[in-house]
Amino acid sequence: GKRIAMDGSKRFADGFNYDVNADVQKHTELAKSVQPLVTDTVEYINDAYDSGKRILIEGANATMLDIDFGTYPYVTSSNPSIGGIATGLGLAPNKIQALVGVVKAYTTRVGAGPYPTEIFGTLAERLREIGREYGTTTGRPRRIGWMDIVALRYVCRINGLTHLNLTKLDVLSEQDEILIGVRYRSKDGEILASVPADLETLEGVTVEYETMPGWKSDISKVRRWEDLPQAARDYVQRIEDLIGVYCKWIGVGPGRDAIVNKPKMGKC
């Protein structure tokens, strides 16, 4: 701390005001409250598993920001994908029983990087407003795009997802038509089977879309699958059919109870 303070003083002269001793004292006191929470977490979590306890692990960021599998260099510094469980917690992969992908009914991205299904203009602004799509920490407006099946299928394969929680379906309720990006074509017209590892290729893809009718009604109070408008059910079902993963939960609002359970995989 003192070395950093000295360096700051040299760089910023009178504009740098930092009391090292006060900061050390502050964090010494904070450490006393944190100390009881510090333990050998590898032993702790594996003992919990061995004793039959249910363990819920939540990943941050997104697979497309994964340092190994994301759109490098526009990524985070860790593995938000399935690999982070083993490397971050020390819990063996064979102990994982279900993998739920939390996916918006459209797509978003913060900051730079390729974004094949991005929406621009007044529609993007409107969806951003309805969905409150602003960075949690920075407040930066998120970029908005249509559902990207190529990217979602890529994510499902990497993580071995068993279920999807499709969130924010209600944000699309004003739309007359809703687009789903179903395949990429390279600049030379070749259909790409997956998200290309080469960033230049990804930036140059053309997306082919399917267009589905909107439902044009408020679904925020719906709690049963059969009560969703047919067009909303068709949209969810089409996503499920395209990726082959059960869309078990559908979010229709910001509240914890704003969830619709889809009774089974496939049409119902």
Side-chain angles (χ1 to χ4, degrees):
K2 291 183 178 180
R3 289 182 181 178
I4 294 174
M6 289 175 62
D7 180 66
S9 297
K10 291 177 182 178
R11 288 171 180 243
F12 306 109
D14 295 338
F16 186 81
N17 184 19
Y18 176 56
D19 188 336
V20 177
N21 293 327
D23 203 30
V24 169
Q25 181 61 35
K26 172 186 174 183
H27 284 85
T28 299
E29 292 301 314
L30 287 173
K32 294 177 182 178
S33 61
V34 174
Q35 183 62 39
L37 306 176
V38 177
T39 189
D40 182 342
T41 53
V42 173
E43 179 182 16
Y44 178 84
I45 196 166
N46 281 280
D47 283 351
Y49 177 87
D50 292 340
S51 66
K53 291 185 178 179
R54 300 178 69 186
I55 301 170
L56 176 65
I57 301 164
E58 180 183 2
N61 297 310
T63 297
M64 296 309 296
L65 297 180
D66 187 281
I67 193 168
D68 293 313
F69 298 107
T71 51
Y72 186 88
Y74 305 102
V75 294
T76 189
S77 59
S78 60
N79 294 109
S81 62
I82 183 66
I85 295 176
T87 60
L89 295 177
L91 192 67
N94 64 353
K95 295 179 178 178
I96 301 169
Q97 297 174 344
L99 286 156
V100 180
V102 181
V103 181
K104 290 175 185 175
Y106 50 98
T107 59
T108 60
R109 183 177 186 121
V110 174
Y115 194 175
T117 63
E118 186 168 11
I119 302 169
F120 299 95
T122 55
L123 177 55
E125 292 172 6
R126 180 58 181 159
L127 292 175
R128 186 180 299 116
E129 178 186 353
I130 298 171
R132 300 177 184 177
E133 295 293 357
Y134 299 91
T136 304
T137 303
T138 63
R140 285 188 298 172
R142 296 186 179 118
R143 297 159 68 189
I144 308 292
W146 297 115
M147 171 60 71
D148 186 334
I149 292 298
V150 181
L152 181 53
R153 189 182 293 122
Y154 174 78
V155 166
C156 291
R157 284 178 167 176
I158 288 171
N159 294 289
L161 299 181
T162 57
H163 305 80
L164 284 188
N165 177 0
L166 193 70
T167 68
K168 292 194 167 186
L169 186 65
D170 57 301
V171 174
L172 299 175
S173 292
E174 289 185 356
Q175 304 310 308
D176 294 313
E177 295 181 334
I178 299 169
L179 274 59
I180 302 177
V182 294
R183 65 182 62 86
Y184 294 168
R185 284 191 184 270
S186 64
K187 288 182 178 179
D188 60 6
E190 178 188 358
I191 295 177
L192 302 178
S194 184
V195 176
D198 177 61
L199 205 66
E200 186 176 346
T201 302
L202 181 59
E203 288 174 335
V205 301
T206 299
V207 181
E208 295 183 0
Y209 292 95
E210 289 184 4
T211 302
M212 302 198 69
W215 43 95
K216 301 289 289 183
S217 61
D218 181 11
I219 60 171
S220 62
K221 301 294 190 296
V222 175
R223 295 297 179 268
R224 299 191 307 169
W225 171 254
E226 57 268 29
D227 293 335
L228 281 171
Q230 185 63 52
R233 282 183 280 161
D234 289 345
Y235 179 70
V236 174
Q237 188 59 55
R238 186 56 181 151
I239 292 170
E240 183 179 281
D241 290 343
L242 286 166
I243 62 171
V245 177
Y246 180 14
C247 292
K248 186 172 184 179
W249 300 280
I250 299 98
V252 293
R256 284 178 174 265
D257 66 327
I259 293 285
V260 173
N261 288 326
K262 188 170 181 284
K264 64 178 182 178
M265 186 170 179
K267 290 188 177 181
C268 52

